[in-house]
Amino acid sequence: MTATRLILTVAQIISLLAVPLAAAAQLQARLPRVGILTFGVAPSTPLLEAFRQELRHLGYVEGRSIEIEYRFVEGQAERAPGLAAELVGLKVDVIVTEGFPTALAASRATSTIPIVTFVGNAVEWGLAASLSRPGGNVTGLTLAIGDRTAKQLQLLKEILPNATTVAVIHNAGRPDSAERLKEAGAAARSLGLQLHFIGIRSPTELDAAFGTLKSARPAAVITIGDGMLLGSRERIVDLVLETGLPGVFPEREFAEAGGLMTYGPNIASNFRRAAHFVDKILKGAKPAELPIEQPTKFDLVVNLKTARALGVKIPPAVLVRADELIQ
């Protein structure tokens, strides 16, 4: 009898020990999982760190209370559909994308998993029914690319009033490339500028592109907002400076890398805002009912060190509007 009771007691102990182990396994299995689909090349970028930092402020710690699956297009839009399908196959709870090609790929890969993205005109491109009530599984922020490019050209005209030709570096592999170039052309005509478009599909084409740029003899250079170009900003800035031409770019990170001037929405701020969309969705909010927001923070950054090196005098009217002056 005693032996029997002892055996039962051991069995009970084993059973009791198994309960917390099973509970822990279930808890781990219930961790929310977020998929990131971006044009970047590594999870250590400042933009993704801004996203993770905001998640931490909201109570999520990667690897402990939330899992994040990273997929990088690396500037090649044709890779987006396959990577989006991978995230869908992992049954992530929400997908965060950057830019139109990744948003389009994700929306085609799933109509049920919520998608948080930053794109140009989400309504015009069929990703949402309206900004106030998206109606589907896509929400996030909308970026007015055409307006941003127009502002870049306006700033160039302010610092170089006699300029007539501007070289435009753009990602020719984007599905919305033609629309972007049309918008840029319309803005240029209103300013009396002629644009020389130079398209690339991979960062490996940058050197050849700048060889073409030199032969065009433009007065300045701009890039049209794009994740691949942003990821290659150090090389682009180096090449622009080698030409001795001023450049105006759409993301502040270009100025931090040595570019002359940047104007555009604060991308890190957008990534932080995306974390709030993720938080709401994980707590039960439906993307169909989460209004698509417009960026509220736009930065004008001037690199005065580069201006001096190029011999470009920045008008006082531009300097007083700058959010930051890099000395």
Side-chain angles (χ1 to χ4, degrees):
M1 179 72 73
T2 302
T4 301
R5 282 199 297 270
L6 180 60
I7 292 171
L8 289 175
T9 301
V10 171
Q12 290 169 348
I13 291 173
I14 293 174
S15 176
L16 289 172
L17 289 173
V19 169
L21 293 175
Q26 290 175 1
L27 180 61
Q28 182 67 22
R30 289 199 299 270
L31 285 183
R33 180 179 289 184
V34 177
I36 302 286
L37 182 59
T38 174
F39 271 89
V41 295
S44 59
T45 66
L47 298 179
L48 289 178
E49 180 52 35
F51 175 74
R52 288 189 293 264
Q53 185 180 57
E54 198 67 17
L55 282 179
R56 288 193 292 271
H57 288 163
L58 294 167
Y60 302 93
V61 179
E62 185 178 7
R64 294 170 61 183
S65 57
I66 195 169
E67 295 179 353
I68 303 179
E69 293 285 346
Y70 300 94
R71 295 295 184 273
F72 302 106
V73 173
E74 298 181 351
Q76 301 174 53
E78 65 273 13
R79 299 186 62 213
L83 296 176
E86 287 183 21
L87 293 175
V88 172
L90 291 172
K91 294 180 170 51
V92 296
D93 297 291
V94 58
I95 298 174
V96 177
T97 75
E98 173 195 9
F100 176 63
T102 53
L104 181 64
S107 67
R108 287 177 174 175
T110 177
S111 60
T112 56
I113 297 175
I115 297 168
V116 176
T117 189
F118 349 113
V119 294
N121 194 325
V123 176
E124 184 175 326
W125 294 341
L127 296 174
S130 70
L131 297 183
S132 60
R133 291 187 66 85
N137 65 321
V138 179
T139 187
L141 295 97
T142 183
L143 306 178
I145 299 296
D147 293 344
R148 183 170 30 159
T149 302
K151 186 64 175 181
Q152 289 173 251
L153 292 171
Q154 290 169 15
L155 286 166
L156 265 180
K157 197 66 174 176
E158 284 190 68
I159 65 174
L160 299 173
N162 296 322
T164 58
T165 304
V166 176
V168 180
I169 307 296
H170 65 98
N171 181 354
R174 295 179 62 102
D176 60 338
S177 179
E179 178 184 353
R180 287 166 152 238
L181 300 189
K182 181 179 178 181
E183 291 174 341
R189 284 191 295 275
S190 69
L191 295 167
L193 292 171
Q194 180 179 352
L195 301 184
H196 183 81
F197 294 111
I198 303 174
I200 67 170
R201 295 176 180 270
S202 166
T204 60
E205 300 176 9
L206 279 170
D207 285 22
F210 273 84
T212 302
L213 180 151
K214 291 177 183 178
S215 65
R217 303 176 66 83
V221 181
I222 71 167
T223 60
I224 295 182
D226 177 77
M228 176 184 71
L229 300 182
L230 176 61
S232 304
R233 60 190 176 277
E234 288 88 358
R235 183 57 183 155
I236 292 173
V237 167
D238 286 346
L239 289 168
V240 170
L241 294 179
E242 286 176 14
T243 67
L245 297 174
V248 179
F249 307 96
E251 296 97 358
R252 66 176 296 121
E253 288 78 11
F254 276 92
E256 294 168 355
L260 175 62
M261 188 182 301
T262 63
Y263 176 83
N266 187 297
I267 304 300
S269 176
N270 291 341
F271 270 91
R272 285 191 289 270
R273 188 62 197 146
H276 288 265
F277 278 91
V278 169
D279 176 52
K280 291 178 181 178
I281 289 169
L282 292 179
K283 290 177 178 175
K286 304 298 183 185
E289 300 170 358
L290 286 177
I292 294 175
E293 301 176 0
Q294 297 190 29
T296 57
K297 183 172 177 53
F298 288 76
D299 293 334
L300 171 58
V301 182
V302 180
N303 190 314
L304 294 177
K305 180 180 178 181
T306 299
R308 289 191 293 269
L310 293 173
V312 175
K313 183 175 177 58
I314 307 298
V318 174
L319 293 176
V320 297
R321 300 202 308 270
D323 297 280
E324 183 178 348
L325 300 174
I326 298 176
Q327 299 290 342

